[in-house]
Amino acid sequence: MKEHAIVFHLATPDTAAYRALTKQLNNVLEVWPTAKLEVVVHNKGIGFMKKEGNVLTPQIEALTQKGVVFAVCENTMKSQKITKDQILTVAQYVPVALIELALKQEEGWSYIKAGF
């Protein structure tokens, strides 16, 4: 059976896109339960992974339990003066989101721009 690997790129502040993304991730896992999925979050999308006021925390934590990786850009955090204490504990970190996206694609991962 083919192994599927998809990297999602999230850079929007649109909370409707956040909700759509969690649904899309679950939809993929319903059909391909062993797929490797990573969401790379940066720029204005960082609100998706912030603790404060995040109504999607339960969904994000549940997706992490299913193996989804949520990678937060440290470069964005630095420029927006956000600390790791402000980010959901399930987050993983990458130095530069765009480099992470490029590396995944070089490794053969499919790319999907999150949002609409």
mmCIF file of all heavy atoms in Angstrom, residues 1-6 8 24-37 66 68 110 112:
data_model
loop_
_atom_site.group_PDB
_atom_site.id
_atom_site.type_symbol
_atom_site.label_atom_id
_atom_site.label_comp_id
_atom_site.label_asym_id
_atom_site.label_seq_id
_atom_site.Cartn_x
_atom_site.Cartn_y
_atom_site.Cartn_z
ATOM 1 N N MET A 1 0.834 -1.187 0.000
ATOM 2 C CA MET A 1 0.000 0.000 0.000
ATOM 3 C C MET A 1 0.880 1.253 0.000
ATOM 4 O O MET A 1 1.862 1.329 0.734
ATOM 5 C CB MET A 1 -0.907 -0.021 1.230
ATOM 6 C CG MET A 1 -1.904 1.083 1.271
ATOM 7 S SD MET A 1 -3.125 0.775 2.589
ATOM 8 C CE MET A 1 -4.000 2.292 2.508
ATOM 9 N N LYS A 2 0.522 2.218 -0.818
ATOM 10 C CA LYS A 2 1.284 3.460 -0.929
ATOM 11 C C LYS A 2 1.207 4.260 0.366
ATOM 12 O O LYS A 2 0.153 4.380 0.975
ATOM 13 C CB LYS A 2 0.729 4.291 -2.083
ATOM 14 C CG LYS A 2 1.451 5.608 -2.283
ATOM 15 C CD LYS A 2 0.933 6.307 -3.524
ATOM 16 C CE LYS A 2 1.465 7.692 -3.715
ATOM 17 N NZ LYS A 2 2.793 8.003 -3.382
ATOM 18 N N GLU A 3 2.349 4.802 0.769
ATOM 19 C CA GLU A 3 2.372 5.688 1.927
ATOM 20 C C GLU A 3 2.104 7.106 1.446
ATOM 21 O O GLU A 3 2.737 7.578 0.503
ATOM 22 C CB GLU A 3 3.726 5.632 2.626
ATOM 23 C CG GLU A 3 3.784 6.526 3.844
ATOM 24 C CD GLU A 3 5.106 6.451 4.566
ATOM 25 O OE1 GLU A 3 5.239 5.588 5.449
ATOM 26 O OE2 GLU A 3 5.999 7.249 4.228
ATOM 27 N N HIS A 4 1.162 7.770 2.074
ATOM 28 C CA HIS A 4 0.791 9.130 1.693
ATOM 29 C C HIS A 4 1.387 10.115 2.692
ATOM 30 O O HIS A 4 1.346 9.882 3.901
ATOM 31 C CB HIS A 4 -0.728 9.279 1.649
ATOM 32 C CG HIS A 4 -1.382 8.325 0.707
ATOM 33 N ND1 HIS A 4 -1.392 8.520 -0.661
ATOM 34 C CD2 HIS A 4 -2.017 7.159 0.917
ATOM 35 C CE1 HIS A 4 -2.015 7.526 -1.241
ATOM 36 N NE2 HIS A 4 -2.408 6.674 -0.303
ATOM 37 N N ALA A 5 1.909 11.212 2.177
ATOM 38 C CA ALA A 5 2.479 12.264 3.016
ATOM 39 C C ALA A 5 2.055 13.607 2.433
ATOM 40 O O ALA A 5 2.305 13.890 1.257
ATOM 41 C CB ALA A 5 3.994 12.150 3.058
ATOM 42 N N ILE A 6 1.409 14.411 3.268
ATOM 43 C CA ILE A 6 0.901 15.709 2.822
ATOM 44 C C ILE A 6 1.323 16.778 3.815
ATOM 45 O O ILE A 6 1.153 16.624 5.020
ATOM 46 C CB ILE A 6 -0.640 15.712 2.720
ATOM 47 C CG1 ILE A 6 -1.137 14.572 1.832
ATOM 48 C CG2 ILE A 6 -1.137 17.066 2.200
ATOM 49 C CD1 ILE A 6 -2.651 14.367 1.884
ATOM 50 N N PHE A 8 0.521 20.659 4.822
ATOM 51 C CA PHE A 8 -0.447 21.744 4.685
ATOM 52 C C PHE A 8 0.226 23.046 5.110
ATOM 53 O O PHE A 8 0.932 23.086 6.118
ATOM 54 C CB PHE A 8 -1.664 21.497 5.579
ATOM 55 C CG PHE A 8 -2.521 20.337 5.153
ATOM 56 C CD1 PHE A 8 -2.151 19.039 5.463
ATOM 57 C CD2 PHE A 8 -3.699 20.544 4.447
ATOM 58 C CE1 PHE A 8 -2.943 17.961 5.083
ATOM 59 C CE2 PHE A 8 -4.491 19.479 4.056
ATOM 60 C CZ PHE A 8 -4.110 18.176 4.372
ATOM 61 N N GLN A 24 -10.763 19.057 7.184
ATOM 62 C CA GLN A 24 -10.046 18.446 6.062
ATOM 63 C C GLN A 24 -9.031 17.402 6.536
ATOM 64 O O GLN A 24 -8.910 16.329 5.939
ATOM 65 C CB GLN A 24 -9.349 19.528 5.230
ATOM 66 C CG GLN A 24 -10.323 20.421 4.498
ATOM 67 C CD GLN A 24 -9.710 21.726 4.026
ATOM 68 O OE1 GLN A 24 -8.548 22.028 4.305
ATOM 69 N NE2 GLN A 24 -10.492 22.526 3.321
ATOM 70 N N LEU A 25 -8.336 17.707 7.610
ATOM 71 C CA LEU A 25 -7.369 16.753 8.154
ATOM 72 C C LEU A 25 -8.075 15.465 8.586
ATOM 73 O O LEU A 25 -7.609 14.363 8.294
ATOM 74 C CB LEU A 25 -6.610 17.373 9.326
ATOM 75 C CG LEU A 25 -5.663 18.523 8.966
ATOM 76 C CD1 LEU A 25 -5.253 19.279 10.219
ATOM 77 C CD2 LEU A 25 -4.455 18.028 8.197
ATOM 78 N N ASN A 26 -9.205 15.625 9.269
ATOM 79 C CA ASN A 26 -9.972 14.448 9.680
ATOM 80 C C ASN A 26 -10.500 13.677 8.475
ATOM 81 O O ASN A 26 -10.511 12.441 8.483
ATOM 82 C CB ASN A 26 -11.117 14.852 10.613
ATOM 83 C CG ASN A 26 -10.647 15.018 12.031
ATOM 84 O OD1 ASN A 26 -10.053 14.109 12.621
ATOM 85 N ND2 ASN A 26 -10.901 16.183 12.603
ATOM 86 N N ASN A 27 -10.917 14.391 7.437
ATOM 87 C CA ASN A 27 -11.403 13.728 6.228
ATOM 88 C C ASN A 27 -10.309 12.876 5.582
ATOM 89 O O ASN A 27 -10.556 11.748 5.153
ATOM 90 C CB ASN A 27 -11.932 14.747 5.221
ATOM 91 C CG ASN A 27 -13.228 15.385 5.647
ATOM 92 O OD1 ASN A 27 -13.923 14.902 6.535
ATOM 93 N ND2 ASN A 27 -13.564 16.503 5.011
ATOM 94 N N VAL A 28 -9.108 13.426 5.501
ATOM 95 C CA VAL A 28 -7.989 12.672 4.927
ATOM 96 C C VAL A 28 -7.717 11.427 5.760
ATOM 97 O O VAL A 28 -7.571 10.318 5.231
ATOM 98 C CB VAL A 28 -6.717 13.546 4.813
ATOM 99 C CG1 VAL A 28 -5.507 12.697 4.438
ATOM 100 C CG2 VAL A 28 -6.919 14.666 3.792
ATOM 101 N N LEU A 29 -7.679 11.595 7.076
ATOM 102 C CA LEU A 29 -7.376 10.465 7.954
ATOM 103 C C LEU A 29 -8.474 9.402 7.951
ATOM 104 O O LEU A 29 -8.203 8.234 8.221
ATOM 105 C CB LEU A 29 -7.103 10.959 9.377
ATOM 106 C CG LEU A 29 -5.796 11.734 9.537
ATOM 107 C CD1 LEU A 29 -5.727 12.368 10.918
ATOM 108 C CD2 LEU A 29 -4.587 10.853 9.266
ATOM 109 N N GLU A 30 -9.682 9.804 7.636
ATOM 110 C CA GLU A 30 -10.771 8.835 7.547
ATOM 111 C C GLU A 30 -10.537 7.864 6.380
ATOM 112 O O GLU A 30 -10.816 6.679 6.487
ATOM 113 C CB GLU A 30 -12.103 9.560 7.376
ATOM 114 C CG GLU A 30 -13.309 8.654 7.507
ATOM 115 C CD GLU A 30 -14.598 9.439 7.503
ATOM 116 O OE1 GLU A 30 -14.696 10.422 8.262
ATOM 117 O OE2 GLU A 30 -15.499 9.065 6.734
ATOM 118 N N VAL A 31 -10.013 8.379 5.286
ATOM 119 C CA VAL A 31 -9.752 7.553 4.104
ATOM 120 C C VAL A 31 -8.362 6.919 4.165
ATOM 121 O O VAL A 31 -8.181 5.760 3.791
ATOM 122 C CB VAL A 31 -9.910 8.398 2.817
ATOM 123 C CG1 VAL A 31 -9.568 7.581 1.579
ATOM 124 C CG2 VAL A 31 -11.330 8.947 2.725
ATOM 125 N N TRP A 32 -7.379 7.683 4.630
ATOM 126 C CA TRP A 32 -5.992 7.221 4.727
ATOM 127 C C TRP A 32 -5.529 7.329 6.187
ATOM 128 O O TRP A 32 -4.787 8.241 6.553
ATOM 129 C CB TRP A 32 -5.067 8.059 3.864
ATOM 130 C CG TRP A 32 -5.256 7.956 2.387
ATOM 131 C CD1 TRP A 32 -5.799 6.929 1.678
ATOM 132 C CD2 TRP A 32 -4.853 8.938 1.426
ATOM 133 N NE1 TRP A 32 -5.768 7.206 0.334
ATOM 134 C CE2 TRP A 32 -5.186 8.437 0.149
ATOM 135 C CE3 TRP A 32 -4.245 10.192 1.513
ATOM 136 C CZ2 TRP A 32 -4.934 9.139 -1.022
ATOM 137 C CZ3 TRP A 32 -3.994 10.889 0.338
ATOM 138 C CH2 TRP A 32 -4.335 10.366 -0.899
ATOM 139 N N PRO A 33 -5.928 6.428 7.054
ATOM 140 C CA PRO A 33 -5.615 6.559 8.480
ATOM 141 C C PRO A 33 -4.128 6.527 8.811
ATOM 142 O O PRO A 33 -3.734 6.997 9.885
ATOM 143 C CB PRO A 33 -6.355 5.385 9.118
ATOM 144 C CG PRO A 33 -6.707 4.469 8.012
ATOM 145 C CD PRO A 33 -6.743 5.257 6.755
ATOM 146 N N THR A 34 -3.307 6.023 7.917
ATOM 147 C CA THR A 34 -1.870 5.966 8.194
ATOM 148 C C THR A 34 -1.087 7.070 7.474
ATOM 149 O O THR A 34 0.143 7.081 7.508
ATOM 150 C CB THR A 34 -1.289 4.599 7.793
ATOM 151 O OG1 THR A 34 -1.496 4.406 6.388
ATOM 152 C CG2 THR A 34 -1.941 3.467 8.587
ATOM 153 N N ALA A 35 -1.802 8.005 6.848
ATOM 154 C CA ALA A 35 -1.126 9.097 6.138
ATOM 155 C C ALA A 35 -0.297 9.930 7.109
ATOM 156 O O ALA A 35 -0.674 10.138 8.256
ATOM 157 C CB ALA A 35 -2.151 9.984 5.440
ATOM 158 N N LYS A 36 0.846 10.386 6.613
ATOM 159 C CA LYS A 36 1.661 11.328 7.370
ATOM 160 C C LYS A 36 1.193 12.732 6.995
ATOM 161 O O LYS A 36 1.221 13.104 5.822
ATOM 162 C CB LYS A 36 3.140 11.129 7.040
ATOM 163 C CG LYS A 36 3.648 9.787 7.502
ATOM 164 C CD LYS A 36 5.109 9.473 7.284
ATOM 165 C CE LYS A 36 5.960 10.317 6.444
ATOM 166 N NZ LYS A 36 7.308 9.791 6.202
ATOM 167 N N LEU A 37 0.741 13.479 7.998
ATOM 168 C CA LEU A 37 0.241 14.825 7.768
ATOM 169 C C LEU A 37 0.988 15.813 8.653
ATOM 170 O O LEU A 37 1.177 15.572 9.841
ATOM 171 C CB LEU A 37 -1.258 14.911 8.081
ATOM 172 C CG LEU A 37 -2.184 13.935 7.363
ATOM 173 C CD1 LEU A 37 -3.624 14.151 7.807
ATOM 174 C CD2 LEU A 37 -2.061 14.063 5.852
ATOM 175 N N LYS A 66 -3.822 11.485 16.587
ATOM 176 C CA LYS A 66 -3.922 10.666 15.374
ATOM 177 C C LYS A 66 -2.641 10.730 14.537
ATOM 178 O O LYS A 66 -2.580 10.167 13.453
ATOM 179 C CB LYS A 66 -5.106 11.131 14.518
ATOM 180 C CG LYS A 66 -6.453 10.902 15.169
ATOM 181 C CD LYS A 66 -7.568 11.421 14.271
ATOM 182 C CE LYS A 66 -8.928 11.239 14.909
ATOM 183 N NZ LYS A 66 -10.017 11.760 14.042
ATOM 184 N N VAL A 68 -1.021 13.713 13.493
ATOM 185 C CA VAL A 68 -0.794 14.947 12.744
ATOM 186 C C VAL A 68 0.230 15.801 13.480
ATOM 187 O O VAL A 68 0.158 15.966 14.700
ATOM 188 C CB VAL A 68 -2.110 15.740 12.550
ATOM 189 C CG1 VAL A 68 -1.848 17.051 11.818
ATOM 190 C CG2 VAL A 68 -3.146 14.902 11.812
ATOM 191 N N SER A 110 3.208 15.767 -0.753
ATOM 192 C CA SER A 110 2.258 16.604 -1.482
ATOM 193 C C SER A 110 2.045 17.885 -0.700
ATOM 194 O O SER A 110 2.091 17.894 0.530
ATOM 195 C CB SER A 110 0.931 15.875 -1.663
ATOM 196 O OG SER A 110 1.108 14.703 -2.416
ATOM 197 N N ILE A 112 -0.467 21.213 0.126
ATOM 198 C CA ILE A 112 -1.804 21.798 0.070
ATOM 199 C C ILE A 112 -1.790 23.105 0.841
ATOM 200 O O ILE A 112 -1.365 23.158 1.994
ATOM 201 C CB ILE A 112 -2.871 20.849 0.661
ATOM 202 C CG1 ILE A 112 -2.957 19.572 -0.176
ATOM 203 C CG2 ILE A 112 -4.234 21.553 0.738
ATOM 204 C CD1 ILE A 112 -3.921 18.535 0.347
#
